[in-house]
Amino acid sequence: MVGLLRPLGRTVTYTRLLHLFIAMVWPSMWLFIQEAWWTWVAAALLLVPAGLVPAMRTVEGLQARLLLTGQRPDGESTGIVVAPSASWTDRGRLVVWLQARLLIGCVTSVIIVQLLVAVVDLAAAPFGGDTASGALHLLEGHRWWHVLLLPPALAAMAVTVVVPGRLITALAHRLLGPSPAERLAALEERNEQLLERTRIARELHDSIGHALTVAVVQAGAARAAGDPAFTDRALDAIEETGRAALEDLERVLGVLRESGRPAAARPTLADAGRLLESARTSGAKVDADVTGPLDTVPGPVSREGYRILQEALTNVLRHAGAVPVRVRVAVGDGWLDLEVRNPLTGVTSESGRGSGLRGMRERAALLGGEAHTGPAGGDWQVRVELPLR
């Protein structure tokens, strides 16, 4: 019983009723001026050209959001759109919506008024009173036992208050909701947002992870060496790597704070020397072989190649320590080949299951390339092939 009465305690139940009554205002005023059945037909016909106006969809959408869902008109909604009609399909759906709103509003208003008069009539029955002329008399005359019909009449009124509101709300989501083209556009926008979040997460993982790894390795090496000159070099490397990581962090946070702000230039393979020098100062013996014009590599490929190289060197320092590392970067024949090899130690680089290696493979796949990681000839190998077109 409580569940049946709960909708009557919600504000949105009565705002939905108000939404239906608003649709009746101007036809009712016209009816008072010209009492004829054709006034309702004329009102329905006038809604057809009104529904063809693109801005009418915005007006109806704002009303529906506020009165049918209780949502702020400027809030985000996936159920009811407030954009102007963009196609004839949208206009057609809006015309149907206006007709349905008028019809349901008319029927609901008539039934509620008649039930209200009937309730008053039944309540006055035990006292022998007469209601105003035109009332809905359920039974002839007035008898005391007529009051027993009052609860069913009240229940019918409650149903009439709740059900039409739910019906018009369901129609609003159907007729004022996004069209298939709008749903596809929203899905594509959502997909772009998720991809951008994933890319930012990779950026932070690679940049901050590399900086922390270098700092930890350098600090441990400086403590073990006990050489002031080596300690100075280690601190310089930590400072340089930390400054670069802070620049990356500030750039990413700037993008997150202001979506319209252009991102600062991300590092490319042309800046790979900084990574190689950082690995050398951390104790790794890096043998680098760079062939081909790096400045001709397309921006996206060069930026992702830089991050892949950064992650590969970070894994070497983190899992293998100060070991010989061979780095090969070759540009030619429409492909960018990047290879990093280091001797296998007791702990392999994430055993092929870590987020870093998965991130390399994902970066390569997004560009149409391939990434291979794992043991090869007694070494741990990271090899990536990225198309330049």
Side-chain angles (χ1 to χ4, degrees):
M1 185 64 180
V2 176
L4 296 177
L5 297 177
R6 188 176 293 115
L8 297 176
R10 296 173 179 169
T11 304
V12 71
T13 299
Y14 304 100
T15 59
R16 289 171 177 173
L17 202 61
L18 175 62
H19 185 265
L20 291 173
F21 287 163
I22 290 175
M24 290 288 301
V25 172
W26 69 276
S28 299
M29 294 176 62
W30 196 359
L31 183 63
F32 288 145
I33 297 174
Q34 181 69 46
E35 296 185 6
W37 63 269
W38 56 264
T39 58
W40 295 103
V41 178
L45 292 177
L46 285 176
L47 291 177
V48 175
L52 299 179
V53 178
M56 184 61 69
R57 189 174 184 229
T58 300
V59 174
E60 291 296 321
L62 290 173
Q63 285 189 55
R65 281 193 182 187
L66 179 62
L67 298 178
L68 297 183
T69 66
Q71 185 183 35
R72 289 175 55 89
D74 56 350
E76 295 184 359
S77 174
T78 57
I80 299 176
V81 299
V82 295
S85 299
S87 65
W88 285 105
T89 301
D90 294 338
R91 294 181 177 90
R93 294 167 65 208
L94 183 59
V95 170
V96 175
W97 159 257
L98 293 174
Q99 301 289 345
R101 183 183 175 189
L102 178 62
L103 176 61
I104 297 175
C106 175
V107 173
T108 302
S109 301
V110 171
I111 294 177
I112 286 183
V113 170
Q114 293 297 323
L115 284 175
L116 182 60
V117 174
V119 167
V120 174
D121 189 36
L122 291 173
F127 307 101
D130 290 326
T131 58
S133 60
L136 178 65
H137 296 284
L138 299 181
L139 296 172
E140 293 294 333
H142 291 86
R143 302 288 186 273
W144 67 267
W145 54 269
H146 288 178
V147 74
L148 299 177
L149 300 177
L150 189 58
L154 290 174
M157 179 173 288
V159 170
T160 307
V161 168
V162 174
V163 173
R166 292 186 174 179
L167 175 60
I168 197 65
T169 303
L171 285 176
H173 284 89
R174 181 77 173 181
L175 299 175
L176 296 180
S179 63
E182 289 169 330
R183 290 192 185 96
L184 180 60
L187 182 61
E188 290 177 348
E189 182 180 358
R190 176 62 176 167
N191 188 49
E192 288 295 328
Q193 292 175 349
L194 292 177
L195 289 175
E196 182 64 14
R197 289 184 181 183
T198 302
R199 188 188 66 78
I200 290 175
R202 288 201 199 101
E203 292 280 321
L204 290 177
H205 171 271
D206 293 348
S207 179
I208 305 303
H210 176 76
L212 292 177
T213 299
V214 169
V216 170
V217 172
Q218 290 283 4
R223 175 178 295 178
D227 182 1
F230 183 86
T231 301
D232 289 341
R233 292 195 301 271
L235 291 176
D236 289 340
I238 292 174
E239 180 183 7
E240 181 182 354
T241 306
R243 186 179 293 112
L246 285 175
E247 291 176 358
D248 285 344
L249 180 61
E250 182 62 27
R251 175 181 55 79
V252 172
L253 293 179
V255 173
L256 292 177
R257 292 192 197 102
E258 304 176 38
S259 58
R261 171 183 171 184
R266 293 166 55 195
T268 65
L269 283 175
D271 306 308
R274 185 177 67 181
L275 291 177
L276 301 176
E277 188 59 29
S278 176
R280 291 189 180 102
T281 56
S282 298
K285 302 175 180 61
V286 180
D287 178 18
D289 180 19
V290 180
T291 59
L294 292 180
D295 55 345
T296 63
V297 177
V301 178
S302 187
R303 288 190 291 267
E304 296 304 317
Y306 176 92
R307 291 304 184 191
I308 291 173
L309 176 60
Q310 184 181 54
E311 179 62 26
L313 292 175
T314 299
N315 285 342
V316 172
L317 296 175
R318 181 183 298 154
H319 300 287
V323 297
V325 183
R326 285 172 289 172
V327 176
R328 185 176 67 89
V329 180
V331 180
D333 297 331
W335 289 86
L336 169 67
D337 292 331
L338 192 153
E339 184 181 38
V340 179
R341 297 174 69 103
N342 63 276
L344 281 172
T345 59
V347 180
T348 61
S349 299
E350 304 181 72
S351 301
R353 294 188 298 270
S355 60
L357 299 182
R358 183 172 62 250
M360 293 182 197
R361 290 189 284 267
E362 290 175 353
R363 287 180 186 274
L366 286 174
L367 294 173
E370 294 182 350
H372 306 278
T373 60
D379 293 336
W380 179 266
Q381 180 191 55
V382 173
R383 183 173 181 182
V384 180
E385 298 176 347
L386 302 177
L388 299 181
R389 298 184 181 87

